[in-house]
Amino acid sequence: MNKSSLVKTLLPVIILLGAVVVAIILITSKKPPEKKPAETKAFLVDAQAVNRESVQFAVETQGNVLPRNQTDISAQVSGRVAELSEVFVAGGMFEKGDVLVTLEQHDYETELKLAEAELAQAQAALTEELARGEVARQEWQSVNSMAPPELGLRKPQLAREQANVKAALAKLERAKRNLDRTQIRAPYNGLVVSRNVDIGQFVSIGMQIGTLYSTDVAEVRLPVADSDMAFIDLERGFQQKDNVVLQARVNGVRHQWHADLVRSEGILDAASRVSYVVARVEDPYNRGEQDNQDMPLRFGQFVQANISAGQSRDLFVLPRSVLRLDQTVLTVNDNNELQIKPVDVARTNAQKVYIAAGLKEGDMVVMSAVPNPFEGMKVRLSGEQGDSPTPAEKDKPESSEKVEVGAQADE
């Protein structure tokens, strides 16, 4: 092997070994990277200071419109139906004192005449007995100076005739009443619900001839849950006017009527566990001179009622989402640490929660969702330096707190 061939063979090997030596030198001389401790930021929350607000609650309920007076009228005397009023039909309107039914009167007119004749006879007999007593007194005095006895002056006979006159007067009054009762009159302003008799029908004493409703006043019996009774000031509500608003849809159009809260039934229903209050509507059929309602409020109408008869209360009003399932609220203290506070909830709805106790004025209440919160957990507040959320925090899904709030809202 000549010299040139040896050089060509060894040169690549020498170059490769040189590269390996340089690489080893570079690797061994490289300084390790400086290690810095990883910085973990506290969880970012949105917290707001809260203060009490004056709140007046309105209780929502429903009920049916009923008349204050409902009467099943009946006959006090018997007889054949001789005449019916034109308004004595189902739905007919009448005024107090209107004659609805007239029974045949001939027999009662005859009884009245007999009673008048009997009274005349009794009065004549009394007059005659008075004269006889005077004659007897004069005759006694003419023959005897002593006081005459009562029998001698015919006083027992006089008392008997006076009693006969009183009896005849009583019979006459009864005959007049019976004759008047042949005309059955309306006891109040109202409407006819049903009629049970017709012309020519014989009516006996006590027979029901129809049903009437009074139209002067309508009442609505409203059930109120025991938890809502705390928001109704009954004593104050009974003194206010128009503190109940009734609503109903009639012929496809929603109408409103104003009513007054007038009384409570004072007992708790054992079956439904609710109390009942009564609202009153004056002149529901607009029969008076002043029509205060937009349209008549008919008996039997089902209405929604809004009762605003309570006193204002100072409460914390917060979004419904801040209330947890265990009736607690998350707050942030001065050291930016979470606190889990149990609260006394006065009332809730789909949007708001009203808290009566458990919070203080100025408390920082967490408005955003916090996954797996615990007492003393470090957090950052919006608005502080370096509080910009990381991309991971932006993309992080909402915690299970939202689900719990939704479940509680459904409850």
Side-chain angles (χ1 to χ4, degrees):
M1 181 178 294
N2 56 22
K3 185 176 181 180
S4 60
S5 299
L6 181 63
V7 171
K8 290 181 181 179
T9 304
L10 296 177
L11 182 61
V13 176
I14 294 171
I15 294 173
L16 180 61
L17 291 175
V20 172
V21 171
V22 172
I24 293 172
I25 294 173
L26 291 176
I27 292 173
T28 56
S29 62
K30 181 181 178 181
K31 295 181 179 181
E34 183 180 357
K35 295 183 180 181
K36 294 183 179 180
E39 181 181 357
T40 303
K41 291 185 177 181
F43 190 81
L44 179 64
V45 297
D46 178 19
Q48 298 178 10
V50 295
N51 295 284
R52 291 183 180 271
E53 302 177 19
S54 180
V55 181
Q56 184 174 9
F57 292 107
V59 176
E60 295 182 354
T61 180
Q62 64 282 319
N64 288 314
V65 180
L66 302 172
R68 183 176 63 172
N69 299 311
Q70 175 181 343
T71 306
D72 295 328
I73 57 174
S74 57
Q76 293 180 280
V77 295
S78 60
R80 187 178 61 86
V81 177
E83 185 178 351
L84 294 175
S85 171
E86 293 182 356
V87 300
F88 191 50
V89 291
M93 295 281 188
F94 54 82
E95 303 290 335
K96 181 178 180 180
D98 287 353
V99 177
L100 303 179
V101 181
T102 301
L103 303 181
E104 197 173 58
Q105 298 178 334
H106 300 304
D107 292 341
Y108 297 99
E109 290 173 347
T110 301
E111 290 182 2
L112 177 60
K113 293 178 181 178
L114 290 174
E116 290 174 345
E118 187 173 345
L119 175 60
Q121 290 177 352
Q123 289 175 336
L126 176 60
T127 302
E128 182 180 354
E129 190 57 43
L130 287 172
R132 288 179 179 177
E134 180 62 23
V135 171
R137 185 184 63 80
Q138 293 177 359
E139 289 180 352
W140 180 271
Q141 290 179 350
S142 64
V143 297
N144 199 331
S145 60
M146 297 176 61
E150 292 186 358
L151 186 58
L153 296 180
R154 300 183 63 84
K155 287 187 176 181
Q157 292 86 340
L158 177 62
R160 180 188 62 200
E161 297 302 332
Q162 289 174 337
N164 289 338
V165 170
K166 290 182 179 181
L169 281 171
K171 290 181 180 180
L172 178 61
E173 292 175 357
R174 183 175 61 186
K176 289 180 178 180
R177 284 196 304 270
N178 287 339
L179 179 61
D180 184 64
R181 288 169 177 170
T182 58
Q183 291 185 322
I184 301 175
R185 300 178 182 272
Y188 41 64
N189 299 334
L191 63 85
V192 179
V193 179
S194 63
R195 190 185 78 185
N196 303 331
V197 296
D198 213 332
I199 296 292
Q201 181 177 347
F202 183 83
V203 175
S204 58
I205 296 176
M207 177 178 174
Q208 181 180 333
I209 64 174
T211 301
L212 311 179
Y213 282 176
S214 169
T215 56
D216 291 336
V217 174
E219 292 186 342
V220 186
R221 188 168 179 253
L222 301 171
V224 179
D226 191 56
S227 58
D228 286 335
M229 284 298 293
F231 306 114
I232 301 178
D233 186 350
L234 294 179
E235 183 176 353
R236 181 185 176 190
F238 296 158
Q239 300 173 356
Q240 295 177 340
K241 296 293 184 181
D242 296 339
N243 50 15
V244 180
V245 177
L246 307 177
Q247 294 185 1
R249 187 173 294 276
V250 181
N251 299 329
V253 180
R254 181 165 292 277
H255 296 273
Q256 281 190 353
W257 300 267
H258 294 282
D260 303 331
L261 193 66
V262 293
R263 70 177 185 274
S264 169
E265 295 188 354
I267 59 174
L268 185 66
D269 188 88
S272 59
R273 310 308 300 170
V274 297
S275 301
Y276 285 91
V277 296
V278 177
R280 179 175 295 175
V281 179
E282 300 289 340
D283 193 16
Y285 280 80
N286 296 338
R287 301 185 64 183
E289 296 180 356
Q290 297 180 351
D291 294 345
N292 298 322
Q293 313 291 355
D294 60 350
M295 75 169 299
L297 178 60
R298 298 173 296 179
F299 297 133
Q301 177 72 56
F302 182 81
V303 294
Q304 301 288 334
N306 188 292
I307 306 173
S308 56
Q311 292 181 337
S312 298
R313 298 178 62 183
D314 292 333
L315 303 171
F316 294 99
V317 184
L318 302 176
R320 181 67 173 79
S321 58
V322 306
L323 182 66
R324 295 158 52 84
L325 279 179
D326 56 356
Q327 301 292 292
T328 59
V329 170
L330 300 179
T331 62
V332 180
N333 61 16
D334 295 337
N335 297 325
N336 283 7
E337 295 175 343
L338 278 185
Q339 290 182 316
I340 303 176
K341 290 189 175 183
V343 293
D344 180 12
V345 178
R347 198 176 186 188
T348 60
N349 56 35
Q351 293 80 30
K352 300 290 184 181
V353 57
Y354 302 88
I355 297 175
L359 296 177
K360 297 182 297 184
E361 294 280 344
D363 275 354
M364 299 294 292
V365 176
V366 177
M367 301 295 175
S368 57
V370 179
N372 303 318
F374 56 88
E375 189 76 19
M377 176 181 174
K378 283 288 187 178
V379 294
R380 289 179 295 133
L381 300 180
S382 298
E384 292 183 347
Q385 185 176 2
D387 63 352
S388 299
T390 63
E393 288 176 335
K394 288 182 179 180
D395 299 336
K396 187 177 294 184
E398 293 185 354
S399 66
S400 60
E401 184 71 21
K402 289 284 188 179
V403 177
E404 293 177 352
V405 169
Q408 186 173 5
D410 294 338
E411 292 176 356

